[in-house]
Amino acid sequence: MSADLAFINTNIKTINPQMPFAQAITITKDRITKVGTNKEIESLIGENTVVLDLEGKTILPGLIDTHIHVADYGRCLLWLDLTSAKSIAELQAMLKEKVKQTKSDKWIVGQGWNETRFKEARMLTSEDLDEVVPDNPVILYREAAMICAVNTKALALSGVTEQSAVPKDGEIDKNPDTGKLTGIFRDTATTLVWQAVPEPTEAELLETTAYACQKISAAGITSVDWIVISENELPIIQKLHEQGRLTFRVNVVVPEALLEKAVSLRTVDSSVLRVGGALIVVDGYLDSKEAALVEPYSDETSNSGKMYLSEEALKASVKMAIRAGVQPVIHAMGDKAIDATLRVIEQSPQGTRFRIEQAAVLNKGLLERLRVQDVVISVQPKVISTEFTVWSAKERLGERAKWLHPIKTLLDAGVVVAGGSDCPMEPLSALLGMQELALRPSDPTQRLSVEDAMRIYTFDAAYCSGEEATKGSIEAGKLADLTILSSDPTGVKPDKIKDIAVDFVVVNGKILVAIT
Ligand SMILES: [Zn+2]
């Protein structure tokens, strides 16, 4: 039988060690039918085959993002991007434009300003914002930190005054001379204003999430592990699926508390949409020193972090996920949390593919146990790089910093590592993730080859969700999900990988034209 679609004269990186490279590929319906040279696929080209000459472009297996918050990303796409503002005046001009397109009672939310880039070299104030936006409430988040600037209207709606109590681990800035609020909120105090921003309506959320889906396809992603944060995402996922607007495969991962509600999601094709995981959070983040450590933090010797779950509770949660037929997706960051997680895994019946989000602070013993149990480690490489511009691993962890996200060491030991973006916390881009893995600015000893980095976003990401038999490499019989790139990631300087253009993607055998 002749194929529906054929790509010839391409540079195919198959991520299949049996045949790493190929020149041509054929697709029939939703499957790859042949991979080889132009000559080898000739016999499958018939009258009705659409043949595309890709003139040397690179094809990778469809890229997979194992950790993305799609609905949140959609909301953020509507935010005003302030990263290019080089002065407060420039930022004010951007706000002025935005206010023209915004109804008078609607909030204006923005992100990405940074006073170190401003000509004026100072923080924003509520007066700066009031000057250009007196009527709409405004909240603008600073880059790479939990700091926001708000205007007077936003202060009024949130009910915060000079007399308001400051929440633990937060700060509300006041003018030292007058005692008046400056409009700057820090850390936990930022939620005082954020909670006054109304939740989007279901119709708004549907449209913003659909927009996020277009962006995800444009970034070359053909499968995601959609980490659900709030219950109101479930009907959105259902609707987008029914309306045919999910342009990539979705493995839904929900907080364990939402598992029962999520399993009622109806799917017409479980290879396109399925509920695949329950998120179980064992400890907090290193950033806020809530990752649970065996020994205390080096920069705060009375603090060893926090276990959010006892080992018994963790065991019960894991059992519940397995009983519901989904993967336990376990957030464990500190060595103490990872040790407890491994003990539960070691006592669980065989046959479940376990996955740990982060597994940040390791040691030799933990590494060996991860290998023996075949636990997949899910990492978000850009998050790792950004973190170490904010705090010092050496100061916080001392000698343990050597074992912080030791991705190369994990691969060398045979532990599978899968990659995600954590978008919208960090930009949506698997290519950027590969670049971070290859450059590893925070720890050059853990740099990966570009080939390994590509596997982390393809085959290993499919392995992470137990779908490696159908996805993750370019082989006859597998689902026809492909990402077509203008250049080969192994053929450019590592710091240019993120700039490679995604030409288009193929999902389920169909060409999707990328929307930029
Ligand atoms: Zn996340």
Side-chain angles (χ1 to χ4, degrees):
M1 199 177 78
S2 62
D4 297 333
L5 185 58
F7 295 126
I8 57 167
N9 294 325
T10 87
N11 166 34
I12 303 177
K13 301 276 191 239
T14 66
I15 319 293
N16 167 15
Q18 259 74 59
M19 182 175 72
F21 312 105
Q23 185 183 28
I25 179 171
T26 60
I27 292 166
T28 301
K29 294 202 174 80
D30 62 345
R31 298 282 162 167
I32 297 166
T33 44
K34 187 134 183 102
V35 184
T37 61
N38 287 346
K39 187 111 198 91
E40 281 165 342
I41 65 142
E42 244 170 28
S43 62
L44 285 175
I45 296 180
E47 238 173 75
N48 298 319
T49 308
V50 175
V51 181
L52 293 180
D53 182 343
L54 291 191
E55 297 173 342
K57 284 188 200 303
T58 295
I59 301 186
L60 295 187
L63 299 174
I64 301 172
D65 189 326
T66 57
H67 190 119
I68 176 168
H69 307 284
V70 182
D72 268 16
Y73 177 44
R75 285 182 76 174
C76 289
L77 285 172
L78 298 185
W79 291 14
L80 186 57
D81 181 1
L82 302 165
T83 44
S84 65
K86 302 228 169 28
S87 65
I88 292 174
E90 249 179 60
L91 181 141
Q92 286 176 318
M94 293 160 98
L95 270 177
K96 246 184 181 161
E97 270 313 300
K98 181 76 179 175
V99 82
K100 280 187 205 155
Q101 314 145 20
T102 313
K103 285 194 199 139
S104 63
D105 60 332
K106 288 268 178 205
W107 281 73
I108 293 175
V109 184
Q111 56 81 30
W113 62 272
N114 187 333
E115 73 287 353
T116 63
R117 274 198 299 266
F118 291 160
K119 211 169 61 201
E120 298 86 346
R122 64 167 174 84
M123 298 289 267
L124 290 168
T125 66
S126 51
E127 283 94 30
D128 295 327
L129 310 183
D130 290 344
E131 264 176 45
V132 281
V133 195
D135 299 324
N136 296 71
V138 179
I139 179 166
L140 306 178
Y141 286 92
R142 187 190 181 272
E143 182 180 70
M146 272 299 269
I147 295 176
C148 65
V150 307
N151 69 350
T152 302
K153 184 82 185 189
L155 280 175
L157 288 173
S158 61
V160 180
T161 65
E162 282 82 9
Q163 284 74 43
S164 298
V166 181
K168 186 181 172 284
D169 300 325
E171 270 177 72
I172 305 174
D173 287 15
K174 287 180 185 159
N175 181 317
D177 302 325
T178 63
K180 280 194 172 319
L181 300 179
T182 67
I184 292 290
F185 289 70
R186 297 168 193 265
D187 299 307
T188 56
T190 56
T191 53
L192 293 178
V193 186
W194 178 247
Q195 67 198 8
V197 180
E199 283 285 310
T201 64
E202 189 175 316
E204 282 168 346
L205 195 58
L206 183 71
E207 289 317 307
T208 55
T209 312
Y211 184 42
C213 291
Q214 294 179 356
K215 290 282 189 184
I216 290 168
S217 289
I221 310 284
T222 62
S223 287
V224 302
D225 292 350
W226 179 324
I227 315 287
V228 166
I229 293 174
S230 108
E231 186 178 344
N232 58 13
E233 292 174 43
L234 297 174
I236 301 296
I237 294 173
Q238 184 74 63
K239 280 213 176 100
L240 290 173
H241 177 54
E242 282 162 10
Q243 295 170 356
R245 294 163 93 186
L246 289 180
T247 48
F248 40 82
R249 298 179 201 281
V250 176
N251 182 36
V252 183
V253 176
V254 294
E256 49 173 330
L258 288 183
L259 191 54
E260 243 169 78
K261 290 210 166 79
V263 287
S264 62
L265 279 179
R266 294 172 308 282
T267 176
V268 291
D269 177 352
S270 63
S271 82
V272 176
L273 172 66
R274 64 177 199 144
V275 179
L279 184 65
I280 300 164
V281 180
V282 182
D283 67 343
Y285 287 87
L286 281 171
D287 182 29
S288 52
K289 296 190 216 169
E290 290 192 351
L293 299 177
V294 175
E295 299 292 333
Y297 283 91
S298 303
D299 54 357
E300 190 181 343
T301 48
S302 61
N303 180 8
S304 307
K306 226 188 237 171
M307 289 286 282
Y308 294 164
L309 285 183
S310 69
E311 212 167 301
E312 276 313 300
L314 170 59
K315 203 185 272 180
S317 296
V318 164
K319 239 186 195 162
M320 185 180 79
I322 293 174
R323 205 174 317 121
V326 302
Q327 179 181 44
V329 177
I330 305 172
H331 170 104
M333 198 158 195
D335 49 8
K336 187 174 172 189
I338 300 163
D339 173 56
T341 302
L342 276 165
R343 248 192 320 277
V344 170
I345 293 173
E346 283 153 359
Q347 291 161 21
S348 296
Q350 301 272 304
T352 300
R353 184 154 303 158
F354 283 94
R355 152 180 185 179
I356 299 184
E357 298 299 298
Q358 309 291 344
V361 185
L362 292 170
N363 56 49
K364 218 170 177 185
L366 293 174
L367 177 77
E368 177 58 14
R369 288 163 69 195
L370 289 169
R371 188 189 66 77
V372 169
Q373 295 297 325
D374 191 23
V375 176
V376 181
I377 306 303
S378 156
V379 296
Q380 296 102 48
K382 183 64 175 71
V383 180
I384 298 175
S385 310
T386 303
E387 241 173 353
F388 301 124
T389 63
V390 182
W391 51 272
S392 151
K394 187 84 191 138
E395 272 169 34
R396 188 152 299 179
L397 295 167
E399 277 300 295
R400 291 166 293 189
K402 279 204 303 258
W403 280 92
L404 186 58
H405 293 295
I407 299 176
K408 172 95 170 65
T409 310
L410 283 164
L411 294 194
D412 289 346
V415 176
V416 175
V417 176
S421 63
D422 206 14
C423 174
M425 284 286 289
E426 289 292 346
L428 164 77
S429 172
L431 290 166
L432 174 62
M434 291 177 202
Q435 172 169 318
E436 293 299 318
L437 289 170
L439 292 174
R440 194 60 195 274
S442 60
D443 185 356
T445 66
Q446 293 293 328
R447 279 180 186 159
L448 302 189
S449 68
V450 177
E451 284 80 3
D452 280 343
M454 291 194 302
R455 206 181 62 237
I456 279 177
Y457 282 90
T458 54
F459 189 84
D460 291 353
Y463 188 88
C464 180
S465 56
E467 296 174 284
E468 72 280 9
T470 53
K471 297 198 306 201
S473 61
I474 298 178
E475 294 176 59
K478 282 201 167 182
L479 289 166
D481 294 354
L482 308 170
T483 302
I484 290 81
L485 302 175
S486 61
S487 327
D488 183 342
T490 63
V492 300
K493 285 204 178 122
D495 65 343
K496 297 281 181 273
I497 295 175
K498 69 171 185 339
D499 302 325
I500 294 173
V502 174
D503 281 357
F504 61 93
V505 293
V506 174
V507 179
N508 230 13
K510 301 271 180 312
I511 293 177
L512 278 184
V513 178
I515 305 151
T516 48

